[in-house]
Amino acid sequence: MKIINSIIHMQALAIAPEREGRRIAFVPTMGFLHEGHASLLREGRKRGDVLVLSIFVNPIQFGKNEDLDSYPRDMERDFQLAEACGVDIVFIPTATEMYPEGFQTGVSVREIALPLCGASRPGHFDGVATVVTKLFNIVRPDVALFGCKDFQQLAVIRRMTVDLNLPVEIVGMPIVREADGLAMSSRNAYLSPAERQSALSLSRAIKRARELFASGERSIDVLEKETRALIEQESTAVIDYVEFRDGATLQGLEVADSNTLLALAVKIGQTRLIDNTVLGEEL
Ligand code: AMP
């Protein structure tokens, strides 16, 4: 497994004549890897001849009062997991090389980036779209894998890839959960044992909404009330949003159908967690 820090070195490998005919599969991450990342890497291993993992805590997708400085890191453990998943190249650029003095260009996706996390975290998806475009130009992947855990992020990246004719196939992978239902996230490391218990309210709420939908409930009003109530039972949980939206356009709805997305963002203590489900999708 090669570790590459320099952009020019990574780019040179991606466009080298030796690449001829070899497919590059790419998994961009912010590190502190877990089984969710591993599922992307394993799928990438199957889909590409060369598997590239990037680890980059992208400063421009963090707001002023967010957790950029405290974001968890453990490179040694990340390398072990990467190695076990068959990664060929780990690309770890520096923030100063990614955003040198004078940097002033951004990629901005409109409607689909506005609601949900786009509303709570202004500028976040511009930061994501910009860094993913840069990473695609550096790594030149044939296929890139992203998790449905970040449902809106995946939607933004799909939109951007189509709109800008980026020559890369985007693959979305299912949410990987802990045995008790909590969606895996690097940020789960912030949770105290008591908060870890409260955090289960997100997956419990999702389960409840899915049950209601399966038993025929279609009123968004009713679904939303029930879902919110479950989370509000937790004294340490503060809802950022609980929203039911069309899974393709992310527009608001009054009546649920099988492609309705339930998206949640909830603060448990200081930690903001997100989770989601598509009501009619089999798990
Ligand atoms: P991150 O390191 O949080 O930026 O995540 C890197 C990639 O892993 C993104 O495409 C995420 O959607 C994906 N990912 C994170 N957590 C999970 C999970 N629990 N299940 C599946 N994919 C995930």
Side-chain angles (χ1 to χ4, degrees), residues 38 157 239:
I157 289 165
I239 292 175

Side-chain angles (χ1 to χ4, degrees), residues 27-40 54 56 61 71 145-151 153-154 157 171 173-178 182-188:
V27 176
T29 77
M30 299 203 298
F32 208 70
L33 303 181
H34 50 67
E35 270 305 305
H37 299 112
S39 73
L40 272 53
S54 69
F56 181 58
Q61 72 185 65
Y71 197 83
L145 300 100
F146 295 86
C148 293
K149 159 86 185 345
D150 299 274
F151 190 97
Q153 168 174 283
L154 176 58
I157 289 165
V171 174
M173 296 292 292
I175 301 176
V176 177
R177 297 178 180 280
E178 304 282 359
L182 180 67
M184 290 196 184
S185 164
S186 307
R187 290 191 168 98
N188 292 347

Side-chain angles (χ1 to χ4, degrees), residues 55-208:
I55 299 178
F56 181 58
V57 183
N58 176 35
I60 68 165
Q61 72 185 65
F62 286 77
K64 272 207 170 58
N65 299 315
E66 294 184 354
D67 57 343
L68 173 64
D69 295 331
S70 57
Y71 197 83
R73 290 155 216 251
D74 187 342
M75 280 296 169
E76 279 315 308
R77 210 173 52 111
D78 287 355
F79 291 156
Q80 279 172 22
L81 188 139
E83 189 102 57
C85 292
V87 169
D88 297 301
I89 298 174
V90 189
F91 175 52
I92 314 174
T94 62
T96 42
E97 211 195 347
M98 287 291 272
Y99 303 112
E101 227 181 281
F103 183 91
Q104 51 186 291
T105 304
V107 178
S108 186
V109 178
R110 288 195 279 270
E111 285 84 358
I112 214 160
L114 292 177
L116 307 173
C117 287
S120 315
R121 306 182 67 188
H124 171 67
F125 287 119
D126 288 356
V128 170
T130 303
V131 79
V132 171
T133 304
K134 283 172 69 70
L135 288 168
F136 282 179
N137 282 328
I138 297 165
V139 175
R140 312 269 175 130
D142 296 281
V143 53
L145 300 100
F146 295 86
C148 293
K149 159 86 185 345
D150 299 274
F151 190 97
Q152 190 178 15
Q153 168 174 283
L154 176 58
V156 165
I157 289 165
R158 283 193 195 283
R159 186 73 257 164
M160 165 188 105
T161 303
V162 170
D163 289 353
L164 300 182
N165 311 98
L166 304 180
V168 51
E169 179 193 354
I170 305 297
V171 174
M173 296 292 292
I175 301 176
V176 177
R177 297 178 180 280
E178 304 282 359
D180 59 9
L182 180 67
M184 290 196 184
S185 164
S186 307
R187 290 191 168 98
N188 292 347
Y190 296 140
L191 301 170
S192 70
E195 288 171 342
R196 173 73 182 65
Q197 283 307 305
S198 304
L200 291 177
S201 59
L202 281 85
S203 49
R204 242 185 258 130
I206 281 177
K207 190 158 170 262
R208 178 82 184 121

